Amino acid sequence: MIHVNVRGLLVREVDNEKLLVIQLRKREGEPEVYELPGGRLNEYEKIVDGLKREIVEETGLQVKTIYGEQEAITTAGNSFTMECIRPFSAYQTLEGPVDSFGIHFICEVEGDLLFRGDDTADIHWANKREIQNLIEAHRFSEIDLPAVKMFLREY
């Protein structure tokens, strides 16, 4: 079985510095590492709907903008209705305990952060220095690490 995930790079700018929402994963039996908000899509759930649902569940924030959403194209044929959307990045696990595929989107959000979310804690806006320190200390999720490194390189 393959898990299909959607994850958000929730961005805001303060004093010309880009900040990302990160959170500490608190799930019994799993290592406590920082990660981006997101999770598994439900069967036939639209990507943007799943992303918005996961962000609210884990952070309490409401999505204002998903970059790439405005370019989405939906088609309906005899057998399938399909949607194509442009993400920031996509990942696939090549080995490990879980076979998963996922996509990351850059999002603008509004509202107040939860103190604790759905299996998460220490939800907060982090600057580049904090994120780099977490990466160097091996405290950042392996699933989100490549996308976060891409984001830091590009922004």
Side-chain angles (χ1 to χ4, degrees), residues 8-150:
L9 292 138
L10 312 184
V11 180
R12 77 174 180 188
E13 192 168 316
V14 176
D15 297 328
N16 293 322
E17 183 175 33
K18 296 240 189 277
L19 305 175
L20 287 178
V21 170
I22 62 172
Q23 58 194 18
L24 184 63
R25 173 57 60 191
K26 302 281 281 185
R27 194 175 282 155
E28 192 173 322
E30 293 184 14
E32 289 189 3
V33 292
Y34 283 87
E35 66 178 13
L36 300 172
R40 206 171 306 155
L41 288 175
N42 296 323
E43 188 174 19
Y44 294 113
E45 182 177 30
K46 286 183 67 173
I47 292 167
V48 296
D49 293 344
L51 180 61
K52 290 175 183 179
R53 175 183 52 75
E54 287 289 343
I55 289 171
V56 167
E57 288 174 3
E58 294 186 358
T59 70
L61 298 172
Q62 299 292 322
V63 175
K64 285 181 12 182
T65 305
I66 299 172
Y67 291 89
E69 180 180 20
Q70 64 279 5
E71 299 174 32
I73 296 174
T74 303
T75 60
N78 292 329
S79 302
F80 295 98
T81 298
M82 305 287 293
E83 182 174 65
C84 185
I85 188 167
R86 186 182 312 256
F88 171 72
S89 67
Y91 73 86
Q92 173 191 7
T93 55
L94 300 176
E95 57 183 71
V98 177
D99 187 9
S100 68
F101 169 82
I103 46 184
H104 290 89
F105 289 90
I106 296 175
C107 305
E108 289 181 18
V109 292
E110 60 188 0
D112 297 319
L113 288 171
L114 296 173
F115 176 71
R116 285 187 74 91
D118 183 23
D119 294 325
T120 60
D122 194 21
I123 307 160
H124 66 280
W125 292 97
N127 64 22
K128 183 176 184 177
R129 181 178 299 123
E130 179 185 356
I131 293 168
Q132 287 175 327
N133 288 340
L134 289 168
I135 291 169
E136 289 170 12
H138 305 286
R139 297 271 337 268
F140 215 93
S141 165
E142 294 177 88
I143 293 293
D144 292 323
L145 187 58
V148 169
K149 285 184 172 183
M150 286 174 63

